Amino acid sequence: MRTGKIITTTMIICLLMAAACGCAAPGRETGAQQQTAGPQQAAGPQLGQQPATRPQQAAGPQPGQQQAAGPQPGSQQTAHPQPSKDSWDDREVIRSMELLYADQFSVDYYDDGCAMISIRDSGRFLVVPEQGTQPEGLPEDVTVLRQPVKNIYLVATSAMDLFKSLDAMDRITLSGTDAQGWYIEEARQALEDGGMFYAGKYNAPDYELILSKSCGLAIESTMISHSPEVKEQLEQLGIPVLVERSSYESHPLGRMEWLKLYGVLTGREEQAEACFRKQMENLKPVLDQDATGKTVAFFYISSNGYVNVRKSGDYVAKMIELAGGTYVPEGLDGNGNALSTMNMQMEAFYAAAKEADYIIYNSTIDGELESLAQLLDKSSLLADFKAVKEGNVWCTEKSLFQETMGLGNMILDIHRILTEEAPDQEEMAYMHRLR
């Protein structure tokens, strides 16, 4: 048993050292390859690969990588053209992506078919068409991603629903959340069926598994900033890392608009535009209406008795505003820190939100409530709230914060409870009334 562990540990160390020696230089095309010598193992098609009927490119070394003698285990067999002799400085931007709400990313399109994704405080990514050429002289901060981007290691849970909306979940081979952690049924099913593999949390990835699946991109949440050594290790192994910042969008529709970024990565920009446009059409009647004058509190009670509320500038407060309501408590800034939520003593919350016309209990953290009695068990003071006395108490469902494209439906839900005396529960997407 001890000998087996030593052998396994030695194999992992060799994989990491060998891959690090062959990783791509900055500004060059990246992609995970194992450099271990020996014959290539036979393997079936990986999740996210193109159908076998499509023509394959001729084999050859990838730009920025050392040429190995013979097949390389774990490497993708589709070779890429050598970088173009044209200078990067010769390329011209012909247009930029139109963004209505998102401000954490931008996309510029060049005359050679390439697209540059710029993410605030997170780097730049040049997306090169499958048959396109990579220009020379790229700035060192630019990471090259060649279409089709596949075998993705997805750690940012908010992005899964966007891939689902693009019919592109087959691009995701590795998950940073296990099956029990997903509320998105398709993701949970893929993990249970073996079509997707759990590759560890953001701070403890399974490097051996990630390498063995020829990972083409790691999409991390901003939590990776707490483990910068993980990002560095992935990049040393030749795996590009994109840090997803949709959670920094203050406007809820800005979070949804990240769909367009993933449309660029997957080559499904028209589908992304059409999907986002449909969401806007559904919301237009609500967004065009005047405010209702109704006040809404959105909160949950922590295990230690504190009331956790969203700050006034948070996207949830903005959703309530877009739906025609006014978020309470008002004027919360949490001493100016970067967190989107803050804790209040129950007595302070009571004073600020007792007269709220509606209260919405956020069940995402501590589990979904089924009855008003369950809510009152958390604090007897809630019985004196106006909304409780008038029967205007609602509870969110746990899937809301993983289903990014559902934010539009959440706005519609809030609008219904503000404008209809008895909203039809069958029409509600993310909330139910507590009785």
Side-chain angles (χ1 to χ4, degrees):
M1 180 68 69
R2 180 178 179 86
T3 302
K5 290 182 178 179
I6 292 173
I7 293 174
T8 300
T9 302
T10 303
M11 290 176 64
I12 294 173
I13 292 173
C14 291
L15 282 170
L16 297 179
M17 293 180 63
C21 292
C23 65
R28 309 291 284 183
E29 190 165 349
T30 56
Q33 283 193 336
Q34 299 180 49
Q35 302 297 323
T36 308
Q40 184 174 357
Q41 297 177 349
Q46 297 290 334
L47 181 66
Q49 288 182 334
Q50 297 295 331
T53 54
R54 292 190 61 177
Q56 299 294 319
Q57 294 176 316
Q62 296 189 18
Q65 295 181 332
Q66 299 176 356
Q67 179 157 4
Q72 302 178 42
S75 64
Q76 299 183 31
Q77 296 303 303
T78 301
H80 305 312
Q82 291 291 338
S84 167
K85 295 181 180 180
D86 295 336
S87 168
W88 169 248
D89 293 334
D90 295 334
R91 307 300 168 102
E92 294 183 1
V93 175
I94 57 174
R95 67 182 180 92
S96 298
M97 176 181 286
E98 180 183 5
L99 295 171
L100 301 179
Y101 302 100
D103 60 15
Q104 294 298 306
F105 78 93
S106 62
V107 180
D108 292 322
Y109 297 90
Y110 291 85
D111 53 5
D112 62 350
C114 294
M116 179 71 81
I117 297 173
S118 300
I119 301 177
R120 182 175 294 185
D121 299 328
S122 298
R124 296 190 291 171
F125 300 83
L126 184 69
V127 181
V128 180
E130 185 173 5
Q131 302 298 333
T133 55
Q134 176 187 328
E136 291 184 339
L138 283 172
E140 291 188 356
D141 67 319
V142 174
T143 299
V144 175
L145 300 174
R146 183 175 292 278
Q147 296 284 22
V149 180
K150 56 187 178 180
N151 295 330
I152 293 171
Y153 170 40
L154 182 64
V155 183
T157 56
S158 60
M160 183 67 80
D161 195 43
L162 304 180
F163 278 89
K164 173 186 169 183
S165 298
L166 294 171
D167 301 317
M169 284 183 61
D170 60 346
R171 301 293 184 89
I172 302 168
T173 303
L174 303 155
S175 170
T177 302
D178 61 19
Q180 291 72 30
W182 282 109
Y183 301 124
I184 297 176
E185 177 61 30
E186 292 84 350
R188 181 170 60 248
Q189 195 64 52
L191 283 160
E192 292 176 350
D193 293 345
M196 193 181 295
F197 302 89
Y198 175 56
K201 296 173 57 178
Y202 76 94
N203 59 352
D206 185 339
Y207 294 111
E208 184 179 15
L209 176 61
I210 292 170
L211 281 171
S212 72
K213 297 301 179 183
S214 300
C215 178
L217 175 67
I219 301 178
E220 300 276 355
S221 72
T222 54
M223 289 295 291
I224 196 65
S225 64
H226 299 294
S227 299
E229 70 282 359
V230 172
K231 181 176 183 291
E232 180 179 353
Q233 181 64 72
L234 288 169
E235 291 174 336
Q236 286 180 351
L237 294 173
I239 300 170
V241 178
L242 184 153
V243 180
E244 214 263 10
R245 286 179 57 89
S246 65
S247 62
Y248 280 72
E249 299 286 356
S250 60
H251 200 293
L253 302 183
R255 294 182 173 220
M256 287 173 51
E257 204 162 18
W258 275 70
L259 179 71
K260 298 178 181 180
L261 181 147
Y262 295 112
V264 176
L265 287 182
T266 59
R268 299 180 181 178
E269 295 173 70
E270 291 184 4
Q271 186 172 342
E273 289 285 350
C275 186
F276 187 77
R277 190 183 311 115
K278 182 178 179 180
Q279 290 282 339
M280 294 301 99
E281 290 172 355
N282 292 340
L283 284 171
K284 190 175 187 304
V286 172
L287 301 181
D288 289 344
Q289 289 189 9
D290 295 332
T292 63
K294 302 292 185 179
T295 52
V296 182
F298 185 97
F299 69 99
Y300 76 88
I301 300 175
S302 65
S303 58
N304 57 12
Y306 285 101
V307 181
N308 184 273
V309 296
R310 316 297 292 200
K311 294 180 183 178
S312 300
D314 180 67
Y315 80 103
V316 172
K318 184 66 175 179
M319 282 199 296
I320 291 171
E321 178 185 335
L322 293 173
T326 300
Y327 175 74
V328 293
E330 296 182 272
L332 298 179
D333 61 7
N335 298 321
N337 62 42
L339 298 176
S340 61
T341 64
M342 60 180 290
N343 290 327
M344 300 179 68
Q345 296 281 354
M346 174 55 78
E347 291 76 11
F349 180 70
Y350 178 90
K354 177 185 176 183
E355 296 302 317
D357 296 301
Y358 297 83
I359 60 176
I360 300 174
Y361 190 79
N362 176 14
S363 67
T364 304
I365 305 299
D366 62 348
E368 191 173 325
L369 302 182
E370 298 296 337
S371 68
L372 187 58
Q374 288 178 307
L375 177 62
L376 297 181
D377 283 343
K378 294 180 177 292
S379 175
S380 59
L381 287 177
L382 292 171
D384 291 334
F385 277 56
K386 175 184 176 181
V388 173
K389 292 178 179 179
E390 296 181 355
N392 293 322
V393 182
W394 294 79
C395 179
T396 65
E397 297 178 0
K398 294 175 71 175
S399 61
L400 170 63
F401 294 98
Q402 284 188 3
E403 297 183 0
T404 305
M405 289 305 293
L407 294 178
N409 288 330
M410 182 63 176
I411 293 171
L412 294 175
D413 279 359
I414 297 172
H415 181 72
R416 288 189 184 99
I417 71 173
L418 295 179
T419 58
E420 300 176 17
E421 183 175 346
D424 185 349
Q425 187 60 54
E426 294 298 320
E427 295 182 355
M428 303 293 283
Y430 291 107
M431 291 194 294
H432 59 270
R433 196 172 216 147
L434 296 182
R435 302 182 184 277

